[in-house]
Amino acid sequence: MKFENILVDKKEGLAVVTINRPSKLNALNKSTIEELHKAFKALDSDKFIKVIIITGSGEKAFVAGADISEFSDFSVIEGTELARKGQEILFDFIQNLSTPVIAAINGFALGGGLELAMAAHFRVAGTNAKMGLPEVSLGVIPGYGGTQRLPQLVGKGKALEMIMSASMISAEEAKDWGLVNYVVTQEELLPTCEKLASKIMRNSSVAIAAAIKAVNANFTDGINGYNIEIEQFGKSFGTNDFKEGTTAFLEKRKPNFE
Ligand code: COA
């Protein structure tokens, strides 16, 4: 698959997706969003890919937001459609992917950039990372899930402070707030994510996909997460991975998942 705005690098079960518009601080324009959708869809159905890392190219930015130059003259209808389509094909899509996605935040993660990182399953930041939702400074609000995912991750008070002030927080503050799991030097950012990915890869991909579904159910309106957990737990008993995992334990050996 050929892309103009992103790079996809695959090795030993891991895929690294890099948003590659450094001259625009990797801002998300329409075609980048579409390319990311295609790449994530293909990687999720690639049975050799067990974990995906998403990051930005260059030293300065993960993603500095949605591409402001593309929507500055949009109407109400176009604005609504922009958010709806983006949420559907990228942000919700990533959150609901069966393959785990780790965001490696290598600089500014602003607006749609922070929303993209929050749609990933968890986040690791470089010491130089700066995060914020500056949309109200532009007369708009976060439209790619930021008003929902930020309070889920940091609580309502901190989320509203961040959204209303439009200000940025440092990587260390983001860690204190629970927005990122680890803060490491820029050089250690990808290696750290790769180490985390290799721990994940040892486990059953089928069970991990079920766990993602059950955890996401906790944040889906009108769905009883406990029921989804019971359903997914029960389904596990019908998988080869369950047979292999439990047999390997009883035989005192490492499991060999499909
Ligand atoms: N959309 C479109 N272009 C963007 C962009 C965005 N969200 N963020 C940065 N860029 C572009 C700039 O226009 C500039 O392009 P140019 O060189 O063709 O003029 C280039 O990226 C470099 O950005 P610049 O502002 O010169 O870098 P800086 O180091 O002075 O400032 C930021 C960095 C991140 C503070 C600043 O770029 C910024 O505030 N960006 C917008 C953040 C934002 O509001 N995001 C939410 C969008 S909803």
Side-chain angles (χ1 to χ4, degrees), residues 95 113-120 123 133 145-146 149-150 153 179:
Q95 172 167 296
L114 181 56
E115 290 172 303
L116 182 61
M118 291 193 293
R123 290 144 290 284
L133 292 177
R149 290 191 184 97
L150 187 60
L153 287 162
L179 188 51

Side-chain angles (χ1 to χ4, degrees), residues 224-232:
N224 182 324
Y226 292 97
N227 286 341
I228 301 295
E229 183 183 276
I230 292 166
E231 186 186 299
Q232 293 298 324

Side-chain angles (χ1 to χ4, degrees), residues 41-186:
K41 194 171 178 193
L43 291 170
D44 198 38
S45 52
D46 182 335
K47 65 178 184 207
F48 296 108
I49 296 301
K50 305 284 182 208
V51 179
I52 305 170
I53 295 171
I54 177 150
T55 193
S57 74
E59 302 248 306
K60 207 168 161 186
F62 173 72
V63 170
D67 193 320
I68 300 166
S69 66
E70 266 191 358
F71 62 72
S72 58
D73 61 350
F74 271 16
S75 66
V76 170
I77 292 172
E78 289 170 313
T80 308
E81 197 42 35
L82 180 74
R84 194 193 312 283
K85 178 100 190 285
Q87 291 196 17
E88 184 192 319
I89 70 166
L90 186 58
F91 299 82
D92 290 355
F93 191 78
I94 288 181
Q95 172 167 296
N96 294 314
L97 220 63
S98 303
T99 313
V101 181
I102 306 172
I105 308 176
N106 59 311
F108 289 114
L110 302 175
L114 181 56
E115 290 172 303
L116 182 61
M118 291 193 293
H121 297 118
F122 63 90
R123 290 144 290 284
V124 179
T127 38
N128 66 335
K130 288 232 174 329
M131 283 157 257
L133 292 177
E135 286 86 348
V136 298
S137 71
L138 298 165
V140 65
I141 70 165
Y144 287 145
T147 64
Q148 307 303 299
R149 290 191 184 97
L150 187 60
Q152 288 165 4
L153 287 162
V154 307
K156 186 177 171 187
K158 287 196 173 80
L160 275 171
E161 180 189 338
M162 219 165 137
I163 291 168
M164 294 190 294
S165 66
S167 52
M168 297 181 210
I169 59 169
S170 67
E172 280 301 335
E173 280 172 300
K175 185 165 161 264
D176 289 347
W177 288 20
L179 188 51
V180 303
N181 293 10
Y182 305 94
V183 178
V184 295
T185 61
Q186 189 84 337

Side-chain angles (χ1 to χ4, degrees), residues 104 124-127 183-195:
V124 179
T127 38
V183 178
V184 295
T185 61
Q186 189 84 337
E187 298 73 45
E188 278 302 307
L189 184 57
L190 280 182
T192 302
C193 292
E194 284 168 16
K195 263 186 224 148

